[in-house]
């Protein structure tokens, strides 16, 4: 079977898998950003309890494997009465894992906003919440966008693991195709190229665009 | 707390501890491969031959932006299609070693680029050969700034070893899966695996930070 015939026969399955991977990536990214901002801010709280909760969360999710967390959420959480459908379990695990890594980026970026900005906001009598949302966070976003680009590529790669709990993403589809045709180079090779294209020609340019957009918004273009 | 079975826990713990040994072995072997091949990747990007530089650069980018679990499948299943049969361990070590080599090459690259230009010029003026310049002048100075990144990826490779279970390497996750399918109990094995990972990765990360500080002090680079 030539490679073109292979694509003709299995192209639609590969395409549907790719779409599932993209949807998973977007959902997990939204969750990861929300968790990262929340946990990152909690880590900077003056309240030791709030700080402690965030630290425990971050250390647990950064200290164990994504695969362990995924299996735990999918197989063990139902025993506590929380049953997640496999698709949900998949993006929740990926989002919670990468959110823990993102929290450290958020914390670092907030701390690296120049001290004068905090003092100026204080001098203008801004409330702490207003200072954070109007002065500190927008500048912190600009600082943390480049490392977030790398993190989102990690997130995209992480979604491949959900195939192990039978979510029909790209990885799962090519594994199935490989199982029936034994054309490993074609099936796994195609998937490798698709992941590469998604990361390099979709995710990376999007993050570049976002950086330029934020720079213009802050008048730093 | 629900029905945590301590007796079952003590029964499966020895099996999990043996598997932990395999996990550590896999991480150690994979890291050893990555440290060496990573240096090759980094140095290959500094040769005067632009073709080599571009090919290696793109290969590193490719490896870094595709999922490790897919690479493991690729290495394991593509070989037999062309008559090369690899054992799960060999295929796993090749995949994970190359994956982390790509990451480590970026760490080395950053380290090498952080060596001041004057050091290169001094080596040239002393008429040192390229090999001597690298191994006696540049790499020793590039190492301390690379240590933090290298340490992070040591912990990283350890946390990625569960992916080797997909091709049947009998490490921690694989053993937990086996226990789960034999006994239909998932709570204890998966939770224990998580706890074992935490017990190893947290102290290791802390130890690496201490080691890094020690090296910096030793070299008089306290900042």
């Amino acid at each position: 079977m030539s490679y073109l015939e292979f694509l003709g026969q299995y192209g639609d399955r590969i395409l549907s898998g790719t779409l599932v991977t993209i949807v998973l990536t977007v959902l997990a990214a939204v969750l990861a950003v929300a968790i990262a901002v929340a946990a990152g801010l909690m880590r900077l709280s003056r309240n030791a309890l709030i700080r402690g909760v965030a630290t425990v969360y971050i250390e647990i999710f950064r200290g164990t494997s994504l695969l362990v967390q995924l299996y735990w959420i999918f197989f063990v959480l139902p025993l506590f009465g929380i049953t997640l459908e496999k698709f949900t379990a998949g993006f929740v695990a990926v989002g919670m894992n990468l959110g823990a890594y993102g929290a450290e980026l958020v914390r670092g970026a907030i701390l690296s906003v120049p001290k004068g900005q905090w003092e100026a906001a204080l001098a203008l009598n801004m409330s702490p919440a207003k200072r954070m949302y109007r002065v500190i966070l927008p500048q912190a976003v600009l600082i943390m966008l480049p490392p977030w680009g790398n993190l989102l590529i990690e997130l995209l790669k992480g979604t491949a693991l959900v195939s192990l709990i039978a979510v029909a993403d790209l990885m799962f589809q090519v594994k199935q195709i490989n199982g029936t045709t034994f054309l490993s180079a074609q099936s796994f090779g195609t998937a490798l190229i698709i992941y590469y294209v998604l990361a390099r020609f979709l995710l990376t340019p999007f993050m570049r665009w976002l950086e330029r957009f934020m720079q213009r918004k802050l008048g730093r273009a | 707390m629900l029905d945590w079975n301590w007796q079952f826990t003590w029964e499966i713990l020895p099996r999990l501890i043996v598997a932990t040994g395999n996990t550590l072995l896999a991480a150690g072997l994979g890291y050893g491969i990555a440290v060496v091949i990573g240096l090759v990747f980094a140095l290959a990007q500094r040769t005067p031959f632009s073709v080599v530089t571009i090919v290696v650069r793109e290969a590193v980018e490719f490896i870094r932006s595709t999922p490790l679990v897919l690479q493991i499948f690729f290495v394991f299943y593509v070989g037999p299609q062309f008559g090369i049969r690899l054992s799960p361990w060999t295929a796993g070590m090749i995949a994970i070693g190359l994956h982390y080599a790509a990451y480590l090459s970026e760490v080395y690259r950053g380290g090498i680029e952080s060596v001041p230009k004057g050091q290169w010029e001094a080596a040239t003026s002393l008429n040192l050969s390229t090999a001597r310049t690298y191994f006696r002048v540049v790499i020793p100075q590039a190492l301390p700034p690379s240590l933090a990144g290298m340490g992070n990826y040591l912990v990283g490779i350890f946390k990625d070893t569960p992916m080797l279970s997909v091709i049947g390497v009998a490490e921690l996750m694989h053993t937990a899966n086996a226990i789960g399918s034999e006994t239909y109990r998932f709570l204890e094995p998966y939770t224990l695996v998580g706890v074992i990972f935490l017990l190893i990765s947290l102290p290791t990360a802390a130890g690496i930070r201490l080691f890094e500080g020690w090296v910096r002090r030793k070299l008089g680079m306290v900042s």
Side-chain angles (χ1 to χ4, degrees):
Chain A
M1 193 195 277
S2 79
Y3 185 58
L4 276 180
E5 281 168 17
F6 173 82
L7 280 187
Q9 194 166 349
Y10 297 105
D12 46 344
R13 278 176 69 184
I14 292 175
L15 202 65
S16 85
T18 307
L19 286 178
V20 172
T21 291
I22 292 174
V23 173
L24 272 170
T25 304
V26 172
L27 288 174
V30 170
L31 184 65
V33 169
I35 289 176
V37 172
L41 289 174
M42 283 167 76
R43 282 270 282 169
L44 293 167
S45 163
R46 255 175 300 178
N47 184 324
L49 181 70
I50 294 178
R51 237 179 16 243
V53 170
T55 307
V56 168
Y57 173 82
I58 291 170
E59 292 298 337
I60 286 181
F61 276 85
R62 279 164 42 119
T64 57
S65 312
L66 173 54
L67 190 56
V68 178
Q69 292 155 21
L70 180 69
Y71 279 5
W72 206 89
I73 288 175
F74 189 62
F75 291 109
V76 179
L77 220 47
L79 303 176
F80 292 84
I82 307 167
T83 306
L84 295 177
E85 196 256 328
K86 61 190 178 188
F87 183 84
T88 317
F91 83 78
V92 165
V94 177
M96 288 181 83
N97 178 270
L98 273 300
Y101 286 89
E104 291 297 88
L105 294 184
V106 172
R107 191 179 73 100
I110 289 174
L111 288 178
S112 60
V113 172
K115 206 149 191 266
Q117 299 286 332
W118 297 79
E119 291 162 357
L122 196 69
L124 290 169
N125 198 23
M126 284 185 174
S127 68
K130 195 170 178 191
R131 179 178 64 190
M132 190 51 88
Y133 289 115
R134 299 302 298 271
V135 180
I136 306 301
L137 267 187
Q139 300 184 64
V141 167
L142 202 55
I143 297 171
M144 66 178 141
L145 271 181
W148 265 102
N150 286 331
L151 202 61
L152 287 183
I153 292 180
E154 293 299 319
L155 188 145
L156 168 69
K157 289 159 58 182
T159 60
L161 286 178
V162 302
S163 64
L164 299 176
I165 55 169
V167 177
D169 74 331
L170 177 56
M171 176 80 217
F172 182 82
Q173 295 288 8
V174 295
K175 224 167 62 184
Q176 300 287 85
I177 296 169
N178 177 63
T180 49
T181 63
F182 299 108
L183 295 170
S184 308
Q186 286 88 330
S187 48
F188 291 131
T190 310
L192 278 173
I193 291 167
I194 293 175
Y195 276 109
Y196 180 63
V197 168
L198 289 180
R200 194 82 191 278
F201 301 109
L202 225 65
L203 211 51
T204 311
F206 171 73
M207 290 307 286
R208 291 274 148 74
W209 172 82
L210 204 60
E211 267 171 61
R212 278 201 307 277
F213 176 78
M214 280 308 292
Q215 272 169 353
R216 268 203 307 280
K217 254 198 124 171
L218 292 179
R220 290 193 193 162
Chain B
M1 197 177 98
L2 69 171
D3 56 344
W4 182 279
N5 187 333
W6 280 106
Q7 201 200 332
F8 180 61
T9 304
W10 298 124
E11 263 172 46
I12 63 173
L13 202 56
R15 264 177 90 181
L16 289 175
I17 287 172
V18 170
T20 307
N22 279 343
T23 289
L24 291 175
L25 181 67
L29 278 176
Y31 195 69
I33 296 171
V35 163
V36 177
I37 307 283
L39 190 59
V40 174
F41 281 170
L43 294 180
Q45 288 179 55
R46 302 188 62 90
T47 57
F49 314 106
S50 57
V51 181
V52 178
T53 306
I54 293 168
V55 169
V56 174
R57 168 94 242 117
E58 283 306 312
V60 166
E61 276 303 317
F62 190 86
I63 295 174
R64 270 159 39 100
S65 29
T66 48
L68 173 59
V69 66
L70 182 54
Q71 292 167 5
I72 292 173
F73 274 117
F74 188 87
V75 173
F76 187 60
Y77 286 106
V78 169
Q81 206 179 347
F82 300 100
I84 308 161
R85 204 159 280 282
L86 296 174
S87 73
W89 268 94
T90 318
M93 289 303 100
I94 292 174
I96 211 167
L98 278 180
H99 192 80
Y100 275 88
Y103 278 104
L104 283 180
S105 78
E106 292 292 288
V107 173
Y108 293 145
R109 208 164 61 98
I112 291 174
E113 276 166 14
S114 74
V115 174
K117 205 153 182 273
Q119 298 289 327
W120 293 90
E121 291 164 355
T124 311
S125 68
L126 288 170
N127 201 21
L128 298 185
S129 67
T130 311
R132 249 178 113 78
T133 305
Y134 270 107
F135 288 105
R136 302 303 299 270
V137 180
V138 175
I139 292 178
Q141 294 184 77
L143 211 53
S146 307
L147 278 180
M150 290 177 75
N152 284 343
Y153 287 126
L154 175 60
V155 180
I157 204 168
F158 167 67
K159 285 186 295 186
D160 272 351
T161 51
M163 290 192 205
L164 297 172
S165 65
V166 297
I167 52 169
V169 173
E171 47 67 69
L172 207 42
M173 199 72 224
H174 190 263
T175 308
N177 281 337
I179 293 171
S181 53
E182 285 160 21
T183 60
Y184 298 105
R185 287 193 72 88
F186 293 99
L187 171 65
E188 293 87 355
Y190 286 153
T191 308
L192 284 173
V193 169
V195 170
I196 291 173
F197 266 95
L198 274 181
L199 285 180
I200 296 175
S201 71
L202 291 184
T204 310
I208 286 166
R209 275 197 294 277
L210 286 178
F211 176 69
E212 202 196 321
W214 179 79
V215 169
R216 276 173 189 277
R217 274 197 306 283
K218 206 76 180 158
L219 292 168
M221 295 175 65
V222 180
S223 52

